[in-house]
Amino acid sequence: MGKERTTSKSTTLLEIVFFVKQQFHGGDTSQLLQYECIEILDLSYNNLNGTIPKCMANLSSTHVLDLQKNRLYGSIPGIFARGNHFRTINFNNNALEGSTPRSLVNCTMLEVLDLRNNKIIDSFPYWLGDLPKLQVLVLRFNKFYGFECGSSEFNSSFPMLRILDLSHNNFSGRLPTRFFENLKALMNLVEAKRKLNYIGEKYYQDSVGMVVKGFEIRPEKIVTAFTTIDFSNNCFHGEIPNSIGKLHSLRLLSLSQNSLIGHIPLSFENLTALEALDLSSNKFVGEIPSQLVGLTFLAKLNLSQNHLVGSIPRGNQFETFQNDSYSGNPRLCGFMLSNKCDIDEAPQPESSIAHDEEHHISAWLDWKVIMMGYRSELSLGLSIGYIVFSTGKPQ
């Protein structure tokens, strides 16, 4: 099924979305390209094959170029002219090869670039950091490599980036401290809470797929307050830089399936908006920082398959995480594990138990409200909708 779009009554036929699906099913789209006033060209979810015509990069008035979910192959057109108006470029789920064209730096209005699920072979396109409005960069499931760049290349990188998905590639090296220090849009928690609007225009609002517990979900709209970094399934090594702790508005962080070492940074206690944290299948050592108990929005935690030791912290959200959050760490102990700690045998004070019951009742009511918001596509629904998918039901 295609996506639904809404258009204002004042738009002309040439300005509305061109995706009468059956007309272009495997057909010739060259006649569309003679119209220079096309603002949205959406040919997604068809059976189009062949290469992307080079002239598509020169649609001077086009804001949205959406060719996702087709059978396109070859390389991405290499000539994006200066002064173009591209706001969204979505080529995901095709069979595109080659590299990321450097001419994309001419797309100074670009907010969303989605190249996931292709066969692109290239180093990390750090030069995209010069795009002043880029908010979403998705490169998942390609053959990108490298990532460790000089500090000069990250001096002013990605100031507006909110969603960065590099998962399932061949990226390697250490996570650069300077890179995370420049993600300014992920640092201002107050601003993120205040602006609960959608990425996109009134008649075309972007969506992006996210992987939650192994399943891809595709919310119909992207709330600007939703923020995520996914570096999972790569070859990163070394320790996590403390600078990640500066990303106060980050809601989802996944570094799983890498070769990261060292301790879980104490600076994670500053990620007060965090809703999901996945550090599984790495080589982390030491104890789980007790400061993480202060992350009261955390609904999904996965620390499995590491070398963690000691007792699992107790309190707040940590009372709800089950054994699978910690499996594969034989030297961990805790009340939810078969390997109990001595302190777990001590009874809780009555006042503490009463407080916990009150907290869970309040939390349950909150989840009910949140689910209603998600189903009616209120702005808060997208952000917390992740929690509904990850937990399966209100806790």
Side-chain angles (χ1 to χ4, degrees):
M1 293 293 293
K3 299 171 292 181
E4 294 183 358
R5 297 287 180 264
T6 58
T7 59
S8 63
K9 294 181 179 180
S10 61
T11 54
T12 67
L13 179 62
L14 296 179
E15 293 171 333
I16 68 174
V17 180
F18 282 83
F19 64 120
V20 181
K21 300 299 183 181
Q22 299 303 319
Q23 289 187 11
F24 301 115
H25 186 78
D28 182 10
T29 62
S30 60
Q31 291 184 350
L32 288 175
L33 304 180
Q34 63 181 300
Y35 300 108
E36 295 183 357
C37 58
I38 295 176
E39 291 192 5
I40 297 174
L41 182 58
D42 186 338
L43 301 175
S44 61
Y45 293 83
N46 279 286
N47 196 30
L48 298 173
N49 54 33
T51 60
I52 301 176
K54 293 182 179 180
C55 54
M56 278 192 170
N58 294 316
L59 294 171
S60 59
S61 299
T62 302
H63 295 186
V64 175
L65 178 57
D66 192 344
L67 303 178
Q68 65 176 306
K69 297 280 187 177
N70 282 291
R71 296 190 295 139
L72 303 172
Y73 55 85
S75 58
I76 299 173
I79 305 176
F80 286 87
R82 292 183 179 181
N84 68 69
H85 292 84
F86 286 117
R87 183 186 60 76
T88 295
I89 296 177
N90 194 337
F91 294 155
N92 83 67
N93 279 280
N94 283 285
L96 300 175
E97 301 174 333
S99 59
T100 313
R102 292 292 292 262
S103 61
L104 282 171
V105 296
N106 295 327
C107 304
T108 56
M109 306 295 290
L110 195 64
E111 296 181 7
V112 177
L113 178 61
D114 191 344
L115 303 179
R116 63 194 149 109
N117 291 72
N118 281 287
K119 301 177 181 180
I120 299 172
I121 302 177
D122 199 359
S123 60
F124 178 69
Y126 62 87
W127 38 269
L128 288 174
D130 294 331
L131 297 178
K133 296 186 177 183
L134 187 64
Q135 298 188 52
V136 178
L137 177 59
V138 182
L139 306 179
R140 180 169 80 237
F141 277 110
N142 278 285
K143 299 180 181 180
F144 284 94
Y145 58 88
F147 194 79
E148 206 167 12
C149 302
S151 58
S152 61
E153 294 166 342
F154 285 130
N155 277 340
S156 59
S157 294
F158 305 101
M160 295 297 294
L161 202 62
R162 299 176 185 275
I163 295 177
L164 176 60
D165 190 343
L166 307 183
S167 62
H168 296 273
N169 279 285
N170 297 318
F171 288 116
S172 61
R174 296 178 178 272
L175 300 176
T177 297
R178 191 66 177 272
F179 176 78
F180 297 105
E181 289 177 342
N182 288 316
L183 300 178
K184 304 301 182 183
L186 297 178
M187 295 182 181
N188 193 336
L189 181 59
V190 175
E191 184 72 7
K193 287 181 177 179
R194 187 175 69 84
K195 291 188 175 181
L196 290 174
N197 55 317
Y198 297 113
I199 295 177
E201 300 162 348
K202 293 181 179 179
Y203 50 88
Y204 187 101
Q205 292 174 330
D206 298 285
S207 64
V208 62
M210 293 169 285
V211 175
V212 178
K213 295 188 70 175
F215 297 95
E216 182 170 345
I217 62 173
R218 189 175 176 276
E220 286 301 313
K221 303 173 184 178
I222 308 174
V223 175
T224 55
F226 186 83
T227 52
T228 178
I229 290 179
D230 191 344
F231 283 13
S232 62
N233 292 86
N234 280 288
C235 302
F236 290 111
H237 63 264
E239 298 184 358
I240 298 177
N242 287 323
S243 56
I244 291 185
K246 297 180 179 180
L247 307 180
H248 305 300
S249 62
L250 187 62
R251 295 177 182 269
L252 186 153
L253 175 61
S254 178
L255 302 175
S256 66
Q257 299 285 338
N258 282 286
S259 298
L260 299 171
I261 62 173
H263 294 76
I264 298 174
L266 296 178
S267 64
F268 275 16
E269 68 174 321
N270 299 319
L271 302 178
T272 53
L274 202 63
E275 300 172 9
L277 175 62
D278 191 347
L279 303 179
S280 62
S281 299
N282 281 286
K283 301 176 182 179
F284 294 115
V285 298
E287 297 183 346
I288 301 172
S290 60
Q291 292 88 342
L292 297 187
V293 173
L295 303 180
T296 55
F297 287 102
L298 196 61
K300 173 66 177 176
L301 177 68
N302 193 347
L303 303 178
S304 64
Q305 306 302 323
N306 280 288
H307 306 297
L308 300 171
V309 301
S311 60
I312 296 171
R314 298 200 63 172
N316 294 331
Q317 304 304 98
F318 274 78
E319 302 292 328
T320 68
F321 301 136
Q322 303 302 313
N323 178 66
D324 58 357
S325 293
Y326 311 105
S327 60
N329 293 281
R331 297 179 62 190
L332 272 182
C333 63
F335 72 99
M336 76 295 294
L337 303 179
S338 58
N339 184 21
K340 298 290 191 295
C341 305
D342 293 337
I343 58 174
D344 292 325
E345 303 302 325
Q348 283 186 298
E350 183 177 351
S351 60
S352 176
I353 295 175
H355 174 76
D356 287 345
E357 289 180 354
E358 181 180 350
H359 170 78
H360 287 308
I361 292 173
S362 175
W364 185 86
L365 293 173
D366 288 343
W367 294 130
K368 293 285 285 184
V369 174
I370 288 166
M371 286 184 69
M372 291 170 61
Y374 180 83
R375 289 173 180 173
S376 61
E377 293 189 355
L378 293 176
S379 56
L380 279 174
L382 173 59
S383 171
I384 312 301
Y386 166 83
I387 302 175
V388 177
F389 278 95
S390 63
T391 59
K393 61 180 180 179
Q395 294 293 332

